[in-house]
Amino acid sequence: MTSATSLFTPVEADLRLLADNLKQLVGNRHPILFMAAEHLFGAGGKRIRPAIVLLISRATMLEKDITLRHRRLAEITEMIHTASLVHDDVVDESQMRRGVPTVHSLFGNRIAVLAGDFLFAQSSWYLANLDNLEVVKLLSEVIMDLATGEIQQGINCFDNSISIETYLKKSYYKTASLIANSAKASGLLSEVSPETAEHLYSYGRHLGLAFQIVDDILDFTSTTDTLGKPAGSDLKSGNLTAPVLFALGEKPYLEVLIERKFNQQGDLEQALELIQHSQGIQQARELASYHAKLAVDHLEVLPPSESRQALINIADYVLSRLY
């Protein structure tokens, strides 16, 4: 399987610069927050979101070098993503993320919530300084969407009547909105046509949905070591994802187990077994493939380049994580 980082060859140097800049952007005025940020930005994330911003920047600026505003947008995107992870981990009470201890498990909930707030505030400050109202609106919407997605997930906890459409809407808010809106923003900074900007948004939207569906499948098919968190943890917490929703139509007893919130011994193990012996995982794979293919179709508006090819390869990589 291709590693994520080998996909980013056209922007390898840009990503190295981004890693250095992120720590500087947080600054060291607040020692604990700085320590939390150092921990987060050094946690070996794949940096897929800023890489997409930088690749789109290069794919839409073939005759010129990318600007400082493109670079800052990539940094803002990673800051927003990281802030959302810190808050998610507090809400989910996760002890591990990417195989390392979460901020709240190291520094406590209070510092974790403040660190997340601080990163959101910092990203908003740098966003305002881009002096592009349309880009500010797009990324501000992302921050609202992240909160909406988290609230929706909480409301739908253990609700086995939710539809695939509701699941995809929540997945858009939680994952795809940031990729879609930052992809579009990147094009706007390159002054692409409104039509091209919409295609870039759609690329990000469908790629983000595919990414989330694949993540949700891996919760059932991967090991704890690979995931960096316990396998089956989404199901245990009542977060019903695509494989579960598809399996529910085939395995009625799954509904009983979910309704009683797996509170009897062996309930969770039985539920996992029912999902494994259903078509749920395969149907979720097909849904992820569908969205990955749609994502690639929207790149046809861009002229051929190494960066455009890397954007296509990212969609292939997202699906390859399943095998």
Side-chain angles (χ1 to χ4, degrees):
M1 186 181 86
T2 315
S3 74
T5 44
S6 69
L7 297 170
F8 306 151
T9 310
V11 292
E12 211 175 321
D14 300 324
L15 285 169
R16 275 199 298 273
L17 191 60
L18 175 125
D20 294 338
N21 284 353
L22 280 171
K23 290 174 191 174
Q24 285 172 24
L25 290 181
V26 173
N28 53 11
R29 283 175 302 156
H30 310 284
I32 300 255
L33 287 177
F34 185 66
M35 279 166 70
E38 282 250 296
H39 173 71
L40 285 164
F41 295 134
K46 298 183 193 77
R47 304 250 193 268
I48 282 182
R49 289 155 189 83
I52 289 168
V53 169
L54 292 163
L55 286 166
I56 287 174
S57 304
R58 293 214 168 271
T60 51
M61 297 279 286
L62 292 177
E63 304 303 316
K64 306 172 195 164
D65 197 10
I66 62 172
T67 66
L68 286 173
R69 293 201 300 169
H70 286 110
R71 293 185 187 283
R72 186 49 47 92
L73 176 65
E75 291 154 8
I76 290 165
T77 300
E78 185 68 351
M79 285 173 92
I80 291 173
H81 173 57
T82 305
S84 73
L85 295 184
V86 178
H87 282 175
D88 280 2
D89 288 338
V90 174
V91 172
D92 300 340
E93 299 178 354
S94 305
Q95 297 303 303
M96 300 293 280
R97 161 80 66 180
R98 296 165 177 165
V100 297
T102 53
V103 172
H104 78 91
S105 69
L106 287 176
F107 302 100
N109 279 359
R110 190 162 166 269
I111 293 295
V113 170
L114 291 171
D117 289 349
F118 180 72
L119 287 174
F120 276 131
Q122 283 282 77
S123 61
S124 300
W125 162 255
Y126 288 115
L127 188 56
N129 281 288
L130 289 177
D131 284 332
N132 185 311
L133 187 56
E134 206 171 343
V135 169
V136 171
K137 285 178 180 175
L138 287 173
L139 275 289
S140 300
E141 197 174 312
V142 169
I143 296 174
M144 287 192 291
D145 286 347
L146 287 165
T148 304
E150 202 58 50
I151 291 163
Q152 199 174 318
Q153 185 167 302
I155 291 168
N156 295 336
C157 216
F158 292 104
D159 179 0
N160 52 35
S161 68
I162 66 163
S163 63
I164 283 289
E165 288 69 30
T166 300
Y167 158 78
L168 287 173
K169 204 172 190 177
K170 181 210 72 180
S171 299
Y172 171 77
Y173 289 141
K174 285 198 64 168
T175 303
S177 173
L178 177 58
I179 300 172
N181 285 297
S182 61
K184 182 179 178 179
S186 182
L188 292 176
L189 292 177
S190 300
E191 298 179 356
V192 301
S193 70
E195 187 194 357
T196 298
E198 284 311 311
H199 279 293
L200 293 173
Y201 168 85
S202 296
Y203 165 77
R205 180 176 177 272
H206 290 295
L207 183 76
L209 290 175
F211 193 91
Q212 186 57 57
I213 297 160
V214 167
D215 252 15
D216 294 338
I217 295 168
L218 291 174
D219 195 52
F220 296 97
T221 60
S222 237
T223 61
T224 300
D225 287 347
T226 312
L227 288 173
K229 62 175 183 177
S233 57
D234 279 341
L235 182 61
K236 188 181 180 182
S237 65
N239 177 20
L240 308 185
T241 58
V244 188
L245 297 175
F246 284 126
L248 272 165
E250 207 183 315
K251 306 282 182 184
Y253 190 60
L254 193 52
E255 209 169 304
V256 177
L257 298 171
I258 292 166
E259 272 172 7
R260 66 178 184 225
K261 300 181 180 179
F262 315 117
N263 60 12
Q264 293 185 21
Q265 197 172 355
D267 274 3
L268 184 64
E269 290 71 20
Q270 197 175 353
L272 290 167
E273 204 170 314
L274 286 169
I275 293 159
Q276 293 288 356
H277 289 94
S278 75
Q279 288 300 302
I281 290 169
Q282 182 52 34
Q283 286 174 283
R285 279 191 181 123
E286 286 162 15
L287 186 62
S289 298
Y290 167 77
H291 284 288
K293 185 191 178 303
L294 281 180
V296 171
D297 290 347
H298 283 285
L299 292 173
E300 284 178 16
V301 291
L302 299 178
S305 70
E306 202 186 348
S307 294
R308 187 186 82 158
Q309 189 55 50
L311 290 164
I312 293 167
N313 294 346
I314 288 172
D316 293 337
Y317 161 76
V318 166
L319 295 178
S320 76
R321 292 162 70 223
L322 291 171
Y323 300 100

